[in-house]
Amino acid sequence: MPSFVTPQQITLNYQTFGDPKHPALLFSNSLGTNLSMWQAQIEFFQKDFFVIAYDTRGHGASSTATQPFGCAELAQDVIDLLDHLQVQAAYFCGISMGGITGQWLACYFPDRFKKVVICNTAAKIGQAQAWQERAALVRAQGLQPIAATAASRWFTENFVKNHPDVVQALSENLAAGSAEGYAQCCEALAHTDLREEIAKIQIPVLVIAGSADPVTTVADGQFMQQQIHGATLAEITASHISNIEQPERFNECLKGFIV
């Protein structure tokens, strides 16, 4: 897979699909996953879009940081990737942590995005203390304890029962990831609160929420819709990783918004 070193000295791993002459559509992964989580979207959109998927720093084949960072740095990685690929303006779709990144981009880099889709996310995800405790846990014990319970947060009980191979592959990917990279992103999320800032967003935004999501709820989605001028909300019958649990419905919502 191609990669490049950003001005922040992060080696960012990415893949592109489709014709570079087509409109660019960039996907940003959730905490504990990598760009492979977007496979169903890549297959669906690559015919009509120049699809870009990347591993968030500390995830997949992207490097970890040498110093603490926040949402601003996660967002800057995206801008650096667009610059590297010589893409002036793109459509953006991010889920969970990637959705936080998308909110920051919509606030501070509106000229680089045609439309932004933020999925299974919130303007403030969880509580700072819980994120700090999780960061300390994975540094002490690795990612196996988190991976062992991830499925119950990511998917509905029915999906876990009926798609064991999908769930196992994602859990194994999480367990095999960088504990330090995961911990650093937990700390970034601990300090991120965009509840006031998102009111300044002026570009078109779609919020996708999972009706059974225990992590970032429909109420979180409704709050973002209300705060962001002109934003629309789509609800999917899924838990936290809705693009994998309900790929056809997810793709339908995304296509309907950006086409």
Side-chain angles (χ1 to χ4, degrees):
M1 294 186 205
S3 65
F4 77 105
V5 179
T6 73
Q8 302 180 80
Q9 299 304 302
I10 297 294
T11 299
L12 210 62
N13 180 65
Y14 69 93
Q15 282 188 282
T16 61
F17 308 84
D19 190 339
K21 296 178 182 176
H22 287 160
L25 171 58
L26 188 148
F27 289 101
S28 182
N29 60 284
S30 61
L31 181 68
T33 64
N34 58 49
L35 62 81
S36 68
M37 75 171 301
W38 298 110
Q39 191 56 44
Q41 286 67 51
I42 292 166
E43 292 173 0
F44 185 82
F45 286 101
Q46 64 180 335
K47 182 171 70 72
D48 299 312
F49 290 86
F50 178 49
V51 176
I52 306 163
Y54 75 104
D55 293 331
T56 298
R57 58 168 66 191
H59 289 66
S62 291
S63 67
T64 57
T66 57
Q67 55 190 7
F69 60 86
C71 188
E73 287 76 19
L74 292 175
Q76 186 61 50
D77 287 342
V78 175
I79 299 302
D80 292 338
L81 177 56
L82 293 179
D83 289 345
H84 174 72
L85 294 172
Q86 298 183 319
V87 173
Q88 178 54 43
Y91 295 100
F92 178 94
C93 179
I95 190 165
S96 193
M97 176 175 65
I100 282 275
T101 300
Q103 291 171 67
W104 185 280
L105 291 167
C107 282
Y108 295 104
F109 296 95
D111 58 321
R112 300 301 299 272
F113 298 93
K114 299 173 183 177
K115 294 181 178 181
V116 167
V117 182
I118 51 177
C119 319
N120 298 90
T121 192
K124 181 180 186 295
I125 302 178
Q127 300 301 316
Q129 182 178 346
W131 286 120
Q132 300 285 11
E133 290 172 353
R134 189 185 294 192
L137 173 68
V138 299
R139 285 194 174 106
Q141 300 182 22
L143 285 167
Q144 188 60 48
I146 298 294
T149 59
S152 63
R153 296 186 297 274
W154 284 351
F155 302 112
T156 62
E157 185 177 341
N158 193 51
F159 185 87
V160 172
K161 177 182 177 182
N162 293 324
H163 299 85
D165 293 347
V166 174
V167 173
Q168 181 179 351
L170 283 163
S171 298
E172 289 176 352
N173 269 346
L174 172 53
S178 165
E180 180 59 26
Y182 186 100
Q184 289 176 354
C185 285
C186 286
E187 290 167 341
L189 291 170
H191 298 113
T192 300
D193 184 348
L194 303 178
R195 287 177 292 184
E196 293 186 6
E197 288 169 275
I198 58 175
K200 70 175 70 173
I201 295 174
Q202 296 296 316
I203 62 175
V205 172
L206 169 65
V207 180
I208 295 179
S211 61
D213 188 345
V215 181
T216 51
T217 64
V218 172
D220 289 320
Q222 291 169 336
F223 175 83
M224 292 183 294
Q225 180 199 18
Q226 292 162 3
Q227 291 295 108
I228 301 170
H229 176 74
T232 54
L233 174 66
E235 190 173 325
I236 294 179
T237 306
S239 188
H240 191 56
I241 310 294
S242 63
N243 70 301
I244 293 177
E245 183 158 357
Q246 293 282 0
E248 292 182 1
R249 173 66 177 139
F250 187 95
N251 292 346
E252 178 185 286
C253 291
L254 180 52
K255 182 179 179 180
F257 181 67
I258 66 177
V259 172

